[in-house]
Each structure stands twice: as C-alpha cells, then as structure tokens.
Amino acid sequence: MSSEDDEIGTSSTTTTTSCGFFRQCDPDPIGSVSKAWSLCLVLIIFFFGVSIYEAISLSDNNASWPLLLATIWTTMVQLAMTIIGTFIIKRFSTPFSVGFLLGLVIFVAQQHLMLSITFWHTQYGDFNTNIAFSSLSFALFAVYTFFGSILHNYREDIMVAPVDAKGLGRRKPAASALNSENIDS
C-alpha cells in the first residue's frame, strides 16, 4: 500500500459528527452556539418592542381578551427566555440545563408558529401591527428552530460538569463540628 492509499484510507475512516449544514461551525462549536443565540437575542429585542405596540393596539381597539393575553404572555416568555438562555449558555451549561434550554426553545418555537398563524388573520387591532407581529413571530420560529438544531448538534461541546460550572464547586469546605480527630468511639 502506498502512502497515498494510507491517506485515502485514513480520511475515509474518520467520521464527522455533523452533516454538511454544520461543517462551517465545526472549528468553533461554542462560538457558533453563542452567535446563534445572539441572533435570537437581536430578534427578541425587535419582537419585544412590536409586541408592546401590538398590546397597546389591541387594547385601544377593544380586541378580545385572549388575543391581548397572548401578546402579554408572549412578551413575558421572551423576557424569561433571554435571561434563562443567556445564563445557561454563558454560565451554567450543565447537561440538565442544556437539555432544559433545548426543550424550552422547541416549546417557544412552536408557540411562535401558532402566534404567527393566529395574528396573520385576526381582524382586531391595527392591520399593519398585526402583520408585523405575525411576521416577527414566524421569524422567531425560524430562528429558534435554527438555534435549536445548532444547540442539539453541539450540546456535548458546550456542556460542563456541574462542579465545573462557573460559581459552583469553588467554595471552601465548611468547618465541620464533627472532626475525625474529635470523635471518641
């Protein structure tokens, strides 16, 4: 076997864990997850402003209470999502918390798909605000789906052991009242 055959054999036996869609992210998986989350945060900021304007528009036009509640609830969910997601990605990436974030992202993505369909055809409130709210909801559905796929693909790369998470495992052990030298058996 020649050295060229060895190189071909070696390259064909190495496997990559990602498909072609994720090959651009392979050199820096943690940076890719952070950049995808940053894209989510930018869209959430726009959505936050539009949802407040949508709530005001629905309230002024005597829209149904469920539509107004859906707008307010979504705004609160987005606020919680930014805090929880940023905390998990930047500070506390344990296996449980990354799995929790992945489930939360999938849940909220589905919520935005339903909101985009609901507000696209509603007759209450300002027509242009409804379309903006619906369009941003669909955009957040798409971005959350994209982020969820990146997070799922690189979840092993960003996870740390619970004792290695920032802020945990660094405390000095507390002085114990029962010391092995003081125990008389």
Side-chain angles (χ1 to χ4, degrees):
M1 240 173 146
S2 69
S3 64
E4 185 178 4
D5 291 336
D6 288 338
E7 288 178 22
I8 293 172
T10 305
S11 65
S12 65
T13 58
T14 58
T15 58
T16 58
T17 58
S18 59
C19 64
F21 181 73
F22 296 108
R23 285 206 181 113
Q24 296 292 326
C25 303
D26 280 343
D28 186 18
I30 295 172
S32 298
V33 170
S34 294
K35 288 174 187 172
W37 182 245
S38 297
L39 177 64
C40 290
L41 291 177
V42 167
L43 218 56
I44 287 170
I45 290 169
F46 286 128
F47 183 80
F48 192 75
V50 169
S51 65
I52 290 172
Y53 190 70
E54 176 71 12
I56 292 169
S57 171
L58 290 172
S59 178
D60 289 345
N61 292 322
N62 296 324
S64 67
W65 175 246
L67 285 175
L68 184 61
L69 183 63
T71 306
I72 294 169
W73 173 254
T74 305
T75 305
M76 291 187 311
V77 167
Q78 292 309 308
L79 181 63
M81 200 61 182
T82 58
I83 295 167
I84 292 169
T86 303
F87 179 73
I88 289 173
I89 290 172
K90 298 292 182 189
R91 188 157 175 90
F92 196 70
S93 298
T94 63
F96 177 79
S97 63
V98 170
F100 174 79
L101 179 61
L102 188 57
L104 186 63
V105 165
I106 291 169
F107 170 75
V108 173
Q110 291 173 351
Q111 177 185 354
H112 279 288
L113 180 62
M114 289 185 286
L115 282 171
S116 70
I117 293 167
T118 301
F119 279 86
W120 187 264
H121 295 291
T122 189
Q123 58 193 9
Y124 301 104
D126 182 47
F127 176 76
N128 293 329
T129 308
N130 290 342
I131 296 298
F133 185 82
S134 176
S135 299
L136 275 173
S137 288
F138 188 79
L140 271 170
F141 162 73
V143 169
Y144 277 146
T145 302
F146 172 72
F147 172 72
S149 64
I150 287 180
L151 183 63
H152 179 266
N153 194 50
Y154 295 114
R155 67 187 182 279
E156 297 293 328
D157 295 319
I158 68 166
M159 286 184 199
V160 295
V163 294
D164 293 337
K166 295 176 184 172
L168 296 178
R170 293 185 184 172
R171 290 186 245 163
K172 295 178 184 176
S176 173
L178 294 176
N179 197 345
S180 61
E181 300 167 351
N182 296 336
I183 299 177
D184 294 323
S185 300

